[in-house]
Amino acid sequence: MVNICLICDFFYPRLGGVEMHIFQLGLCLMERGHKVIIITHKYDNRAGVRYMTNGLKVYYCPFVPAHEQVVLFTYMGSLALLRQILLREEIHVVHSHAATSFFGGELLLHAKSLGYKTVFTDHSLFAFNDAASFHVNKILKFILSEVDHAVSVSHISKENLSMRASLDPRNISVIPNAVDCSRFKPDPSKRYPLNTVNIVVISRLTFRKGVDLLVDVVPTICKRFPQVYFIIGGDGPKKKIIEESIRKHGLTDRVEMLGSVPGHKVREVLVRGHIFLNTSLTEAFCIAIVEAASCGLFVVSTNVGGVVEVLPKNMVNFAKPDPDDICEKLAVAIPIAKNVPSHQYHEQVAKMYSWHMVAERTETVYNKILSSPYPSILGRIKACQSNGPFFGLYLLILLIIDYIAIFILDLIFPFKNLSKPLKFNPEYRVNKEKYGDHQFKVN
């Protein structure tokens, strides 16, 4: 049994692809006999320790997010609390998610100083030519310079991560996202309004999700095809732009704005449609189109990032991130949308994606890194120097401060076998009858 800590700024009650990935991965790892805890920051009044499905333990730490539910990168501000959590839970592997989760990045750095194995999963694609991406990539390179292994959700994401963080591609595994297809079954009888071709859009209404493209596509398609009806679910800063466009073109009876859609009601919206439209400008994987295909919808999507790797060609039409091309691909899909074999789509997707498969492949990564040697202090110093003469020196100073802070905390809040690394016995196999009897030894 491996004791695993999953950490990210993004988790329930926030809903999204990263949040669902962490939740489902945690549940499936628990089913395989491992101990799993999740660490995130405070969400409104949700603070302290909470228990979710099947006893999944979640620590909502008392850190307030600064922007877009992300806490500031303080480096030392979280060390004392996170150290106590890791020691009390007897964690062996720290697994952080998402490049923009600085909370997770902090723990990856502290975990190496405390003697834990670390894994990072990247869920997004980032550019190299804008200020925001440049700074995120620089911090990510620092954080991942010592990570034991990295995971990407697509091959495109793997290439992107390798270049952004200067990682050896051989140290990055591709483990795609998945969908619980039992929760996304087709039901053509739920499609309404009747006698129309319903196009469903469910996403966060932000620039990255291509809302500016959607604003141009909706009135054009409604004008060309009188039988089309749009169902748009989601919330975000771009919501007002869509609503103004709908009023301007007199489409209030042709477009239904649902607002924010809770996760448990996504399927109720999807089964109403014939076509699912994704206008994202960048996607590493895109779980939304898998959920839509599982519900029996034909997919029209912009051909960006790793989207091309997700579904077979018979389920999707790819378009350039251009309003005219999206409209042309929709024009091809609309006449055939009502004849799509919904149940066949569902069965095909169910065979392709499974959270149990994701958990099994992630478990293989854990076993691999736990059987590898721990890095020496000299190795950590060389990793810092790989970031350049000036930034590398700065990182080396932070590393020294980290060790000093941990030494002081050892004196103030001592734990038995506090600073001794945990070793994994690779010959051990999960045995649910011995749940709780781990096979890890302390030097």
Side-chain angles (χ1 to χ4, degrees):
M1 182 184 75
V2 182
N3 295 351
I4 305 155
C5 169
L6 305 178
I7 181 169
C8 187
D9 281 287
F10 314 117
F11 194 63
Y12 182 84
R14 177 186 165 110
L15 299 174
V18 177
E19 295 85 346
M20 185 57 65
H21 180 105
I22 296 171
F23 177 70
Q24 293 286 357
L25 176 61
L27 291 181
C28 289
L29 287 172
M30 289 174 65
E31 289 183 9
R32 295 184 64 82
H34 303 292
K35 175 182 177 180
V36 180
I37 67 167
I38 295 174
I39 300 178
T40 187
H41 58 70
K42 176 182 177 182
Y43 275 89
D44 298 326
N45 295 324
R46 185 176 287 266
V49 179
R50 301 291 185 95
Y51 288 88
M52 301 182 71
T53 306
N54 293 341
L56 179 61
K57 192 174 185 179
V58 184
Y59 284 87
Y60 289 93
C61 298
F63 300 107
V64 180
H67 177 68
E68 292 290 331
Q69 297 300 331
V70 177
V71 300
L72 291 175
F73 189 83
T74 60
Y75 191 62
M76 300 305 299
S78 60
L79 174 59
L81 177 59
L82 295 179
R83 167 184 168 275
Q84 290 197 27
I85 294 174
L86 296 181
L87 292 169
R88 287 175 177 173
E89 297 291 346
E90 299 182 341
I91 296 300
H92 308 124
V93 176
V94 174
H95 189 167
S96 176
H97 292 257
T100 54
S101 174
F102 295 146
F103 192 35
E106 283 188 37
L107 183 54
L108 285 182
L109 296 172
H110 297 319
K112 298 303 295 183
S113 299
L114 288 166
Y116 296 102
K117 292 293 186 176
T118 56
V119 180
F120 171 76
T121 295
D122 196 17
H123 294 265
S124 303
L125 300 177
F126 284 86
F128 300 87
N129 58 352
D130 62 271
S133 296
F134 175 80
H135 289 295
V136 170
N137 294 344
K138 195 66 177 178
I139 295 174
L140 188 66
K141 182 181 178 182
F142 163 46
I143 292 172
L144 300 188
S145 60
E146 300 181 84
V147 74
D148 291 295
H149 203 82
V151 176
S152 291
V153 294
S154 67
H155 290 87
I156 293 293
S157 176
K158 175 181 178 178
E159 295 177 9
N160 183 260
L161 177 62
S162 176
M163 291 186 290
R164 286 161 49 214
S166 300
L167 291 178
D168 186 344
R170 293 172 295 184
N171 201 35
I172 306 175
S173 298
V174 177
I175 303 177
N177 277 313
V179 168
D180 183 1
C181 292
S182 63
R183 296 177 54 243
F184 294 93
K185 295 182 179 180
D187 188 355
S189 66
K190 300 293 185 180
R191 288 172 176 166
Y192 69 91
L194 301 176
N195 303 318
T196 60
V197 175
N198 302 330
I199 300 177
V200 177
V201 179
I202 300 180
S203 74
R204 288 190 295 273
L205 302 181
T206 61
F207 172 79
R208 191 175 70 86
K209 292 297 183 179
V211 174
D212 296 297
L213 297 176
L214 186 63
V215 169
D216 294 332
V217 169
V218 170
T220 302
I221 291 297
C222 287
K223 183 177 179 180
R224 289 180 58 181
F225 300 93
Q227 75 275 29
V228 166
Y229 184 86
F230 278 90
I231 303 170
I232 301 176
D235 202 353
K238 294 281 187 178
K239 182 180 178 181
K240 290 184 179 180
I241 297 177
I242 299 180
E243 292 175 338
E244 290 174 0
S245 177
I246 293 170
R247 288 193 296 268
K248 177 182 177 181
H249 294 89
L251 299 175
T252 53
D253 60 334
R254 303 276 304 279
V255 182
E256 184 177 343
M257 297 292 295
L258 301 178
S260 180
V261 180
H264 64 280
K265 292 188 176 181
V266 169
R267 187 242 177 199
E268 295 178 13
V269 178
L270 289 175
V271 294
R272 291 181 56 189
H274 300 85
I275 298 173
F276 183 83
L277 176 61
N278 172 48
T279 58
S280 291
L281 300 179
T282 174
E283 285 284 0
F285 183 84
C286 193
I287 294 180
I289 66 174
V290 181
E291 294 174 346
S294 181
C295 286
L297 280 71
F298 188 81
V299 176
V300 175
S301 173
T302 46
N303 190 0
V304 294
V307 173
V308 70
E309 303 176 27
V310 178
L311 293 175
K313 294 182 179 179
N314 65 306
M315 296 184 181
V316 57
N317 278 351
F318 291 113
K320 299 176 183 178
D322 174 78
D324 294 334
D325 197 43
I326 295 173
C327 289
E328 290 304 316
K329 296 302 186 291
L330 281 173
V332 174
I334 289 171
I336 63 173
K338 290 188 176 182
N339 298 320
V340 167
S342 301
H343 293 282
Q344 183 178 330
Y345 276 18
H346 173 78
E347 293 174 1
Q348 193 171 353
V349 171
K351 293 178 181 178
M352 295 170 59
Y353 296 105
S354 164
W355 283 115
H356 293 283
M357 179 184 67
V358 172
E360 182 179 353
R361 295 171 68 174
T362 305
E363 181 185 58
T364 302
V365 171
Y366 295 157
N367 291 341
K368 177 182 177 180
I369 64 173
L370 285 167
S371 59
S372 63
Y374 284 79
S376 62
I377 295 179
L378 181 59
R380 298 196 69 191
I381 293 174
K382 289 181 178 179
C384 290
Q385 293 175 339
S386 68
N387 287 272
F390 299 104
F391 192 54
L393 177 61
Y394 171 70
L395 301 182
L396 180 59
I397 294 172
L398 292 181
L399 178 62
I400 295 172
I401 293 174
D402 203 26
Y403 275 114
I404 293 173
I406 291 172
F407 176 75
I408 294 172
L409 289 171
D410 287 353
L411 296 177
I412 300 174
F413 305 106
F415 278 78
K416 184 180 179 181
N417 298 323
L418 172 64
S419 59
K420 296 181 179 180
L422 299 167
K423 286 191 174 181
F424 175 66
N425 179 4
E427 297 180 357
Y428 179 73
R429 294 294 180 267
V430 173
N431 186 344
K432 293 186 178 180
E433 294 179 357
K434 295 183 179 181
Y435 187 87
D437 181 18
H438 61 74
Q439 298 293 317
F440 292 81
K441 298 179 180 179
V442 180
N443 280 341

